[in-house]
């Protein structure tokens, strides 16, 4: 059964960077992954692209032919893809029945909040056997400003209700959050969307005329009680692994790595060589019944790493990287010395 992620979010939220980082991580772990570009305006794709919508339609061609602007052109492109879904279906089948696919959507938020084409395309992919989760990226700097945080909560809630998929909201670029000022509360207040009435003072101070409207929006968010966030720093391995486990838990995906795979410590049972025993230790049942375990699975650790003690952690990681580089260099030097002392014997052909 093929699995996948619908990667959505506003422009600049880091969707393409996330796809590229996840492709690198999964390739290093010998875990299958393919990336599909569904943004017809993306002319500089950074990741290896298995399927590119520009082979079917491009935004520039639509704008030139129909006299549309960028927004209308993107809507037209998605409607065209929906009408020609067989083009996408044929290429997805070529990826194999065990494919894991990232679908990189355009940054136009209407596509994932109120326009029907993406929703219909997702429904068609579900019918052909895909198990999908929506991964909604939001720039983490929005949590430093109360009105922007409320707007992100509303956008996330609307996306969840519209796409009707297992959903993972993500605060991306969490490694840059300290650049935007101090947080009014600890990070877990924002990721777990705790009692939002504590934001009333900040909201009333910034826009006193709209205090009643702000409290009404807060009540709406709390009445649904659906929104929460994971965190993401793409260049941090622990952060990427944590998010991958959260998404696997949402879709029910269980990865069985090959025996010689470079899996992180603790994620593979090596006591038995059978395939069933090599299943991911964070498999469907264990992760559904208990908390995830790992260096970045507690938001308090994330706060310490990127907010409270970022400089100390950066210095610690640089020291570790330097030590690892020295170890690799020494091993390469020893291997070279062994080859010099024991040159291979010449083989003469008869």
């Amino acid at each position: 059964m093929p699995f996948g992620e619908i990667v959505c979010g506003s422009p600049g939220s880091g969707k393409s960077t996330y796809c590229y980082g996840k492709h690198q991580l999964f390739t290093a772990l010998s875990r299958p992954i393919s990336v599909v570009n569904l943004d017809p305006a993306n002319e500089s794709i950074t990741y290896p692209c298995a399927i590119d919508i520009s082979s079917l339609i491009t935004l520039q061609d639509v704008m030139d032919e129909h006299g549309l602007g960028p927004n209308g052109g993107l809507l037209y492109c998605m409607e065209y893809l929906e009408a020609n879904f067989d083009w996408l279906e044929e290429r997805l089948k070529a990826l194999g029945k065990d494919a894991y696919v990232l679908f990189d959507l355009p940054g136009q938020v209407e596509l994932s909040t109120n326009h029907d084409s993406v929703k219909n395309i997702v429904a068609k992919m579900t019918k052909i056997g895909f198990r999908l989760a929506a991964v909604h990226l939001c720039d983490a700097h929005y949590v430093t400003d109360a009105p922007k945080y409320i707007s992100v909560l509303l956008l996330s809630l609307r996306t969840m209700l519209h796409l009707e998929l297992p959903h993972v909201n993500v605060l991306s670029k969490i490694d840059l959050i300290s650049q935007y000022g101090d947080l009014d509360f600890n990070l877990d207040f924002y990721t777990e969307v705790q009692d939002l009435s504590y934001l009333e003072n900040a909201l009333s101070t910034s826009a006193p005329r709209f205090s009643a409207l702000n409290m009404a929006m807060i009540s709406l968010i709390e009445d649904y009680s659906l929104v929460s966030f994971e965190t993401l720093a793409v260049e941090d391995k622990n952060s990427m692994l944590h998010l991958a486990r959260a998404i696997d838990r949402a879709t029910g995906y269980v990865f069985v790595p090959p025996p010689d795979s470079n899996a992180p410590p603790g994620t593979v049972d090596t006591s038995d060589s059978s395939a069933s025993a090599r299943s991911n230790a964070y498999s469907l049942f264990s992760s559904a019944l208990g908390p995830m375990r790992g260096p970045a699975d507690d938001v308090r650790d994330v706060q310490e790493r990127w907010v409270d003690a970022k400089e100390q952690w950066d210095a610690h990681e640089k020291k570790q990287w330097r030590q690892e580089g020295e170890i690799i260099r020494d091993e390469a030097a020893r291997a070279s010395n062994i080859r010099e002392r024991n040159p291979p014997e010449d083989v003469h052909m008869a």
Side-chain angles (χ1 to χ4, degrees):
M1 174 183 292
F3 286 75
E5 302 174 25
I6 305 296
V7 183
C8 55
S10 56
S13 58
K15 298 184 297 299
S16 295
T17 303
Y18 166 72
C19 291
Y20 179 54
K22 191 152 191 175
H23 187 278
Q24 287 185 310
L25 176 67
F26 277 23
T27 300
L29 299 178
S30 301
R31 177 167 166 174
I33 188 171
S34 301
V35 186
V36 174
N37 173 46
L38 293 184
D39 185 356
N42 191 353
E43 297 178 351
S44 56
I45 301 173
T46 57
Y47 47 75
C49 190
I51 304 172
D52 187 358
I53 192 176
S54 63
S55 301
L56 176 68
I57 191 171
T58 65
L59 177 61
Q60 191 61 51
D61 290 342
V62 170
M63 294 169 61
D64 294 341
E65 183 174 349
H66 299 283
L68 297 171
N71 291 338
L74 278 172
L75 298 180
Y76 181 94
C77 289
M78 291 298 104
E79 292 171 358
Y80 189 83
L81 177 61
E82 179 189 356
N84 295 272
F85 181 77
D86 55 337
W87 175 88
L88 179 61
E89 180 180 3
E90 178 183 349
R91 284 155 179 77
L92 289 175
K93 288 182 178 179
L95 298 178
K97 61 183 179 65
D98 295 324
Y100 191 96
V101 186
L102 304 184
F103 296 91
D104 186 10
L105 289 186
Q108 193 173 10
V109 295
E110 304 93 289
L111 295 174
S112 55
T113 57
N114 59 285
H115 193 259
D116 285 336
S117 287
V118 168
K119 181 178 180 179
N120 295 337
I121 291 169
V122 167
K124 290 181 179 181
M125 286 194 288
T126 302
K127 287 183 178 179
I128 64 174
F130 266 87
R131 290 284 297 273
L132 298 169
V135 179
H136 183 228
L137 301 184
C138 306
D139 199 315
H141 87 267
Y142 288 127
V143 306
T144 61
D145 183 85
K148 291 181 179 179
Y149 176 59
I150 295 299
S151 69
V152 163
L153 291 175
L154 289 171
L155 177 62
S156 300
L157 178 60
R158 186 69 187 94
T159 303
M160 296 173 75
L161 296 175
H162 183 69
L163 292 180
E164 298 179 332
L165 286 172
H167 198 99
V168 180
N169 292 306
V170 182
L171 293 176
S172 62
K173 306 179 187 177
I174 198 69
D175 51 322
L176 304 178
I177 194 172
S178 60
Q179 299 179 8
Y180 298 98
D182 296 333
L183 299 177
D184 293 330
F185 306 97
N186 286 337
L187 193 57
D188 60 351
F189 175 87
Y190 302 98
T191 58
E192 298 172 11
V193 190
Q194 297 175 4
D195 189 350
L196 297 179
S197 63
Y198 287 109
L199 296 175
E200 181 178 2
N201 290 337
L203 293 170
S204 300
T205 301
S206 62
R209 289 193 305 161
F210 304 115
S211 58
L213 175 61
N214 290 330
M215 295 310 298
M217 290 190 294
I218 284 176
S219 297
L220 174 67
I221 295 166
E222 292 183 333
D223 287 346
Y224 276 96
S225 189
L226 292 174
V227 184
S228 62
F229 293 95
E230 302 293 344
T231 59
L232 173 64
V234 171
E235 295 184 356
D236 183 72
K237 180 183 68 175
N238 291 327
S239 180
M240 287 290 287
L241 288 171
H242 166 74
L243 182 56
R245 289 194 291 268
I247 296 169
D248 288 348
R249 182 160 66 169
T251 59
Y253 185 87
V254 180
F255 173 53
V256 181
D260 57 347
S261 66
N262 188 25
T267 59
V268 177
D269 183 0
T270 58
S271 61
D272 193 333
S273 60
S274 64
S276 60
R278 294 199 311 273
S279 297
N280 191 331
Y282 301 97
S283 60
L284 174 60
F285 299 108
S286 63
S287 61
L289 295 176
M292 292 188 293
R293 305 176 300 276
D297 293 337
D298 192 321
V299 69
R300 292 171 295 183
D301 294 336
V302 177
Q303 168 143 351
E304 179 184 342
R305 172 63 183 90
W306 300 114
V307 180
D308 297 337
K310 183 177 185 300
E311 294 181 358
Q312 294 90 324
W313 272 101
D314 287 344
H316 174 68
E317 287 190 349
K318 287 180 180 179
K319 182 179 179 180
Q320 284 188 316
W321 294 338
R322 184 165 56 251
Q323 291 174 345
E324 291 176 1
E326 292 173 354
I327 293 173
I328 293 174
R329 186 178 64 246
D330 292 343
E331 290 179 349
R334 283 196 295 270
S336 178
N337 291 334
I338 292 174
R339 287 194 299 269
E340 290 176 358
R341 290 195 302 267
N342 302 287
E345 297 180 1
D346 293 333
V347 178
H348 300 283
M349 301 297 294

Short mmCIF file of all heavy atoms in Angstrom, two decimals, residues 20-31 237 240-241 244 264:
data_model
loop_
_atom_site.label_atom_id
_atom_site.label_comp_id
_atom_site.label_asym_id
_atom_site.label_seq_id
_atom_site.Cartn_x
_atom_site.Cartn_y
_atom_site.Cartn_z
N TYR A 20 13.09 18.53 0.53
CA TYR A 20 14.49 18.24 0.22
C TYR A 20 15.18 17.60 1.42
O TYR A 20 15.90 16.59 1.28
CB TYR A 20 15.21 19.53 -0.18
CG TYR A 20 16.68 19.36 -0.49
CD1 TYR A 20 17.11 18.42 -1.43
CD2 TYR A 20 17.64 20.13 0.15
CE1 TYR A 20 18.45 18.26 -1.72
CE2 TYR A 20 18.98 19.98 -0.13
CZ TYR A 20 19.39 19.04 -1.06
OH TYR A 20 20.73 18.88 -1.33
N GLY A 21 14.94 18.16 2.63
CA GLY A 21 15.57 17.60 3.82
C GLY A 21 15.09 16.19 4.11
O GLY A 21 15.87 15.32 4.51
N LYS A 22 13.80 15.94 3.92
CA LYS A 22 13.28 14.60 4.19
C LYS A 22 13.79 13.60 3.15
O LYS A 22 14.04 12.44 3.49
CB LYS A 22 11.76 14.63 4.19
CG LYS A 22 11.15 13.35 4.74
CD LYS A 22 9.80 13.58 5.36
CE LYS A 22 9.31 12.37 6.14
NZ LYS A 22 8.05 12.61 6.85
N HIS A 23 13.94 14.04 1.91
CA HIS A 23 14.51 13.15 0.89
C HIS A 23 15.93 12.77 1.27
O HIS A 23 16.34 11.59 1.14
CB HIS A 23 14.48 13.83 -0.48
CG HIS A 23 14.89 12.93 -1.60
ND1 HIS A 23 16.23 12.71 -1.92
CD2 HIS A 23 14.16 12.20 -2.48
CE1 HIS A 23 16.29 11.87 -2.94
NE2 HIS A 23 15.06 11.54 -3.30
N GLN A 24 16.72 13.72 1.76
CA GLN A 24 18.09 13.42 2.17
C GLN A 24 18.11 12.45 3.35
O GLN A 24 18.89 11.49 3.37
CB GLN A 24 18.82 14.71 2.55
CG GLN A 24 19.20 15.60 1.38
CD GLN A 24 20.01 16.79 1.83
OE1 GLN A 24 19.63 17.51 2.75
NE2 GLN A 24 21.14 17.02 1.20
N LEU A 25 17.26 12.71 4.35
CA LEU A 25 17.23 11.86 5.55
C LEU A 25 16.82 10.44 5.20
O LEU A 25 17.48 9.47 5.61
CB LEU A 25 16.26 12.46 6.57
CG LEU A 25 16.04 11.63 7.83
CD1 LEU A 25 17.31 11.58 8.67
CD2 LEU A 25 14.88 12.19 8.66
N PHE A 26 15.73 10.29 4.46
CA PHE A 26 15.24 8.96 4.15
C PHE A 26 16.20 8.20 3.24
O PHE A 26 16.33 6.98 3.35
CB PHE A 26 13.86 9.04 3.49
CG PHE A 26 12.73 9.18 4.48
CD1 PHE A 26 12.96 9.66 5.75
CD2 PHE A 26 11.44 8.81 4.15
CE1 PHE A 26 11.93 9.79 6.67
CE2 PHE A 26 10.40 8.93 5.06
CZ PHE A 26 10.65 9.41 6.33
N THR A 27 16.88 8.90 2.35
CA THR A 27 17.88 8.25 1.51
C THR A 27 19.02 7.72 2.36
O THR A 27 19.50 6.59 2.15
CB THR A 27 18.42 9.24 0.46
OG1 THR A 27 17.33 9.70 -0.36
CG2 THR A 27 19.46 8.57 -0.43
N ALA A 28 19.44 8.49 3.37
CA ALA A 28 20.51 8.04 4.28
C ALA A 28 20.07 6.84 5.10
O ALA A 28 20.89 5.99 5.47
CB ALA A 28 20.94 9.18 5.20
N LEU A 29 18.77 6.74 5.39
CA LEU A 29 18.24 5.63 6.18
C LEU A 29 17.81 4.44 5.32
O LEU A 29 17.23 3.48 5.84
CB LEU A 29 17.04 6.10 7.01
CG LEU A 29 17.30 7.21 8.04
CD1 LEU A 29 16.02 7.60 8.74
CD2 LEU A 29 18.36 6.78 9.04
N SER A 30 18.07 4.51 4.02
CA SER A 30 17.65 3.46 3.08
C SER A 30 16.14 3.26 3.12
O SER A 30 15.65 2.13 3.00
CB SER A 30 18.37 2.14 3.38
OG SER A 30 19.77 2.29 3.28
N ARG A 31 15.42 4.33 3.34
CA ARG A 31 13.96 4.27 3.37
C ARG A 31 13.42 4.87 2.08
O ARG A 31 13.80 5.98 1.70
CB ARG A 31 13.44 5.04 4.58
CG ARG A 31 11.93 5.10 4.68
CD ARG A 31 11.47 5.59 6.04
NE ARG A 31 10.07 5.97 6.03
CZ ARG A 31 9.36 6.32 7.10
NH1 ARG A 31 9.96 6.36 8.28
NH2 ARG A 31 8.09 6.65 7.00
N LYS A 237 18.85 16.57 12.82
CA LYS A 237 18.44 15.19 12.57
C LYS A 237 17.37 14.73 13.57
O LYS A 237 16.38 14.10 13.18
CB LYS A 237 19.65 14.27 12.65
CG LYS A 237 19.33 12.79 12.42
CD LYS A 237 20.56 11.91 12.58
CE LYS A 237 21.04 11.88 14.01
NZ LYS A 237 22.16 10.94 14.22
N MET A 240 13.96 16.15 12.67
CA MET A 240 13.38 15.50 11.50
C MET A 240 12.88 14.10 11.85
O MET A 240 11.81 13.67 11.38
CB MET A 240 14.41 15.43 10.38
CG MET A 240 14.70 16.76 9.71
SD MET A 240 13.32 17.35 8.70
CE MET A 240 13.42 16.23 7.31
N LEU A 241 13.62 13.36 12.66
CA LEU A 241 13.20 12.01 13.05
C LEU A 241 11.93 12.06 13.90
O LEU A 241 11.03 11.23 13.73
CB LEU A 241 14.32 11.31 13.82
CG LEU A 241 15.53 10.86 13.00
CD1 LEU A 241 16.64 10.38 13.92
CD2 LEU A 241 15.15 9.78 12.01
N ALA A 244 9.04 12.74 11.58
CA ALA A 244 8.76 11.54 10.78
C ALA A 244 7.97 10.52 11.59
O ALA A 244 7.03 9.90 11.09
CB ALA A 244 10.06 10.93 10.27
N PRO A 264 18.86 4.88 12.93
CA PRO A 264 19.30 5.48 14.20
C PRO A 264 19.22 4.46 15.33
O PRO A 264 18.39 3.56 15.31
CB PRO A 264 18.29 6.62 14.42
CG PRO A 264 17.70 6.88 13.08
CD PRO A 264 17.70 5.57 12.36
#
